[in-house]
């Protein structure tokens, strides 16, 4: 991580922590749950070495970014999150209209899709991982859909009641929480039965780390989780219903920036209801007309940018260098 600089940028009432390295065209990296800028450690170093300025913030509610009202999930809508990014870009670029490259994973991809939809004038090209675009659905919000498909124990459903999942996770230390989330490597959903913890890994089960995740990595994630708490990250799930209500006017809207999408063939997202058909059957391309390539990586699960860093680095650079 040598040479990565850390700064705090005042934006939208927040102090947004960013990690950055390099000089040249700006590449903005957006992390997912329950992560940090650190999820992009391999990509930051690689892109900087390739002549780019790599910038990765801790998103609202995460890590060393402060000022977010974590006890009020209504302050975590996608409009707040995209607004944070526009403010951040205005603050760290010399030209306030500058277009940048954007790379997102998981919730970071969700925010990146909406940045591309709301403000295509600020996005030069987009590379998203794991989470495809999710168009506004007249049948209901994602929580309703997942509840109908998987029941009340699905983790997204369990995350809805403020304070409830925080109390259950409080039984575990931060390192254990990080390990149980980041080492999940199944194509099926994460279940969190009430009062029973992670279905795939009981509270007292010893977690073996994969080669791509070290005890140091876990310790870094855990130290920031202890500082910020988990409510900020969980709020992204709690606001799904409100996002759906506020976004009805964007029904049928498209993401009109050049895009590449990458997902692992063992990623739980790939097996969500209707997702494979949407990605492979033409719906995705219809909603993202400048989608140039979809890559399904063999043997990769959800945390693909950490699990397969060399391959992801190559996919990113091969795409953005065209612009």
């Amino acid at each position: 991580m040598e040479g990565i600089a850390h700064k705090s940028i005042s934006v939208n009432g927040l102090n947004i922590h960013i990690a950055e390295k390099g000089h040249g065209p700006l590449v903005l990296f957006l992390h997912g749950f329950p992560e940090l800028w650190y999820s992009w450690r391999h990509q930051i170093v690689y892109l900087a070495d390739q002549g780019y300025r790599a910038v990765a913030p801790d998103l609202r509610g995460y890590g060393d970014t402060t000022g977010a009202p974590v006890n009020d999930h209504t302050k975590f809508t996608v409009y707040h999150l995209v607004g944070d990014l526009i403010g951040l870009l205005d603050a760290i670029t010399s030209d306030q209209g500058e277009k940048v490259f954007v790379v997102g994973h998981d919730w970071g991809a969700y925010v990146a899709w909406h940045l591309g939809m709301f403000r295509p004038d600020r996005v030069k090209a987009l590379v998203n991982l794991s989470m495809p675009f999710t168009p506004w659905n007249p049948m209901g919000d994602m929580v309703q859909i997942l509840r109908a498909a998987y029941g009340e124990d699905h983790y997204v459903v369990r995350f809805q009641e403020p304070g409830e999942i925080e109390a259950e996770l409080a039984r575990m230390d931060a390192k254990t929480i990080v390990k149980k989330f980041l080492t999940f490597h199944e194509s099926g959903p994460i279940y969190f039965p009430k009062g029973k913890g992670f279905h795939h890994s009981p509270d007292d089960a010893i977690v073996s780390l994969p080669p791509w995740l070290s005890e140091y990595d876990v310790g870094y994630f855990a130290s920031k989780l202890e500082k910020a708490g988990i409510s900020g990250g969980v709020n992204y799930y709690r606001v799904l219903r409100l996002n759906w209500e506020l976004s009805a006017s964007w029904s049928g809207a498209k993401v009109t920036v050049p895009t590449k999408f990458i997902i692992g063939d063992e990623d739980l997202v790939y097996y969500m209801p209707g997702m494979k058909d949407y990605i492979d059957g033409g719906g995705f391309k219809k909603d993202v007309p400048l989608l140039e390539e979809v890559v399904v990586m063999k043997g990769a699960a959800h945390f693909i940018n950490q699990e397969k860093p060399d391959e992801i680095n190559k996919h990113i650079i091969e795409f953005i260098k065209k612009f």
Side-chain angles (χ1 to χ4, degrees):
M1 301 300 101
E2 186 176 344
I4 295 179
H6 296 267
K7 299 177 182 177
S8 182
I9 310 294
S10 295
V11 172
N12 291 356
L14 307 179
N15 293 309
I16 296 181
H17 166 253
I18 65 170
E20 69 171 319
K21 185 177 183 180
H23 303 279
L26 197 154
V27 184
L28 183 67
F29 290 96
L30 307 176
H31 68 80
F33 175 89
E35 303 176 84
L36 302 164
W37 75 268
Y38 188 77
S39 304
W40 299 108
R41 57 197 178 278
H42 307 293
Q43 288 74 36
I44 291 171
V45 172
Y46 179 80
L47 267 293
D49 289 344
Q50 296 296 314
Y52 292 85
R53 180 188 179 193
V55 176
D58 287 337
L59 296 178
R60 175 181 288 243
Y62 282 96
D64 289 324
T65 289
T66 60
V70 295
N71 293 323
D72 183 359
H73 67 273
T74 68
K75 302 302 184 183
F76 285 76
T77 71
V78 71
Y79 298 95
H80 290 90
L81 301 172
V82 172
D84 293 345
L85 298 183
I86 293 298
L88 177 62
L89 290 176
D90 286 346
I92 65 174
T93 58
S94 56
D95 177 2
Q96 290 198 350
E98 182 180 336
K99 284 190 172 187
V100 303
F101 297 109
V102 181
V103 183
H105 169 255
D106 185 74
W107 272 105
Y110 178 88
V111 179
W113 290 122
H114 287 82
L115 175 63
M117 184 167 68
F118 297 163
R119 294 298 302 272
D121 58 306
R122 302 304 299 272
V123 181
K124 190 178 298 183
L126 174 63
V127 179
N128 266 341
L129 316 179
S130 297
M131 180 62 70
F133 179 64
T134 51
W136 192 83
N137 188 344
M139 302 302 293
D141 66 88
M142 186 59 69
V143 180
Q144 291 176 283
I145 293 168
L146 292 172
R147 179 182 281 116
Y150 299 120
E152 296 296 327
D153 288 344
H154 189 273
Y155 78 103
V156 172
V157 180
R158 289 297 322 284
F159 280 7
Q160 295 307 304
E161 186 62 34
E164 188 173 285
I165 207 70
E166 289 91 335
E168 292 209 25
L169 290 173
R171 300 197 305 260
M172 310 174 207
D173 61 74
K175 284 188 177 181
T176 299
I177 294 170
V178 169
K179 287 180 179 180
K180 289 184 184 294
F181 274 116
L182 295 190
T183 62
F184 184 83
H185 199 290
E186 300 177 18
S187 57
I190 298 176
Y191 289 110
F192 209 105
K194 194 168 185 177
K196 298 181 179 179
F198 292 90
H199 183 264
H200 71 278
S201 180
D203 291 4
D204 58 354
I206 297 174
V207 180
S208 298
L209 297 184
W212 56 267
L213 186 68
S214 70
E215 287 288 352
Y216 177 86
D217 298 332
V218 170
Y220 188 86
F221 281 116
S223 69
K224 302 305 179 181
L225 182 60
E226 288 174 341
K227 175 183 176 181
I230 203 164
S231 293
V234 173
N235 283 339
Y236 288 54
Y237 297 89
R238 288 187 178 139
V239 81
L240 280 167
R241 174 72 187 185
L242 182 56
N243 279 340
W244 180 78
E245 293 175 356
L246 295 174
S247 299
S249 61
W250 290 90
S251 176
K254 302 181 187 303
V255 178
T256 56
V257 299
T259 302
K260 181 174 187 173
F261 179 71
I262 309 166
I263 192 168
D265 70 343
E266 297 176 10
D267 192 326
L268 75 167
V269 175
Y270 197 40
Y271 296 90
M272 289 170 63
M275 196 63 77
K276 268 190 174 184
D277 183 62
Y278 176 70
I279 293 172
D280 303 330
F284 194 9
K285 176 69 173 176
K286 180 180 178 182
D287 292 330
V288 187
L290 299 183
L291 178 65
E292 295 190 14
E293 186 179 3
V294 172
V295 177
V296 180
M297 290 182 60
K298 299 294 183 183
H302 185 65
F303 297 98
I304 193 168
N305 49 321
Q306 298 183 73
E307 185 180 348
K308 304 285 187 181
D310 293 339
E311 293 94 324
I312 293 299
N313 290 345
K314 290 175 183 176
H315 278 298
I316 293 170
I317 195 70
E318 286 172 1
F319 186 65
I320 68 173
K321 71 181 182 181
K322 298 192 294 185
F323 304 93

